[in-house]
Amino acid sequence: GQNIDQPTEMTATEGAIVQINCTYQTSGFNGLFWYQQHAGEAPTFLSYNVLDGLEEKGRFSSFLSRSKGYSYLLLKELQMKDSASYLCAVRDRGYSTLTFGKGTMLLVSP
Amino acid sequence: EAGVTQFPSHSVIEKGQTVTLRCDPISGHDNLYWYRRVMGKEIKFLLHFVKESKQDESGMPNNRFLAERTGGTYSTLKVQPAELEDSGVYFCASSDRMNEKLFFGSGTQLSVL
């Protein structure tokens, strides 16, 4: 079966760094995605990892270890607007569909 | 460039009624997906169109759900008759032929009373 785990909630302070972890067990693997979703809005694409290692994009970085079934999203220099739900999703090999985790609600406080 | 648009944003209906949700993908995107999030659960895949053809409909819950994409442009998702457990947020997403990044719409919040 498919299983994607991520923490339900996290809190952090403005200006700090936070790491959101995601572990997955899927029948296949063809890439891992991170999406950000503000309440009532569309999930927006943050990052895509298909090979092991770290992908950096501005204040956001994403890491993947395929052998461990593990990824994390790193957010630096946190801003209040980063308060949102962060969704980890895996694309199975041979399929174009995504399997999502339940999302991590991040609250950034002043 | 316009993003993925969905209509309506909210729909409240009674059990047994019919509701039709619409999705307009990003222009030129061949791939169109429907996903659903039931309260407290993760976003789950419903089905995938490539142009006007259903590529994968393994996530459709039952035959009360009918999705169409005539002409390979916009898509509709009809629920008939609606049941209480159909309540949730229905997301549409589209992607181009490279298929790496899915662009999501804001979703339709469906409440069945």
Side-chain angles (χ1 to χ4, degrees), chain A residues 20-104:
Chain A
I20 303 175
N21 296 323
C22 172
T23 57
Y24 62 90
Q25 293 174 309
T26 56
S27 55
F29 182 83
N30 192 24
L32 187 143
F33 295 76
W34 283 96
Y35 280 83
Q36 179 192 61
Q37 186 182 19
H38 288 97
E41 298 183 8
T44 55
F45 172 84
L46 290 179
S47 68
Y48 168 64
N49 295 68
V50 67
L51 300 176
D52 291 351
L54 186 68
E55 295 279 343
E56 297 185 79
K57 189 185 297 183
R59 293 190 300 114
F60 293 1
S61 303
S62 58
F63 171 83
L64 175 68
S65 169
R66 289 172 295 171
S67 62
K68 295 182 179 178
Y70 168 69
S71 172
Y72 68 72
L73 180 70
L74 192 71
L75 294 78
K76 302 175 185 175
E77 301 170 14
L78 281 172
Q79 303 175 9
M80 298 295 288
K81 66 178 182 180
D82 296 330
S83 292
S85 180
Y86 290 85
L87 306 168
C88 175
V90 172
R91 184 165 62 196
D92 296 346
R93 183 180 299 120
Y95 287 88
S96 55
T97 59
L98 299 180
T99 300
F100 282 87
K102 289 188 178 181
T104 299

Side-chain angles (χ1 to χ4, degrees), chain B residues 42-61:
Chain B
E42 65 273 20
I43 297 174
K44 285 196 171 179
F45 167 77
L46 295 178
L47 90 158
H48 170 210
F49 283 99
V50 178
K51 296 186 180 179
E52 67 275 9
S53 301
K54 291 178 184 174
Q55 181 75 14
D56 181 356
E57 52 184 330
S58 61
M60 295 287 263

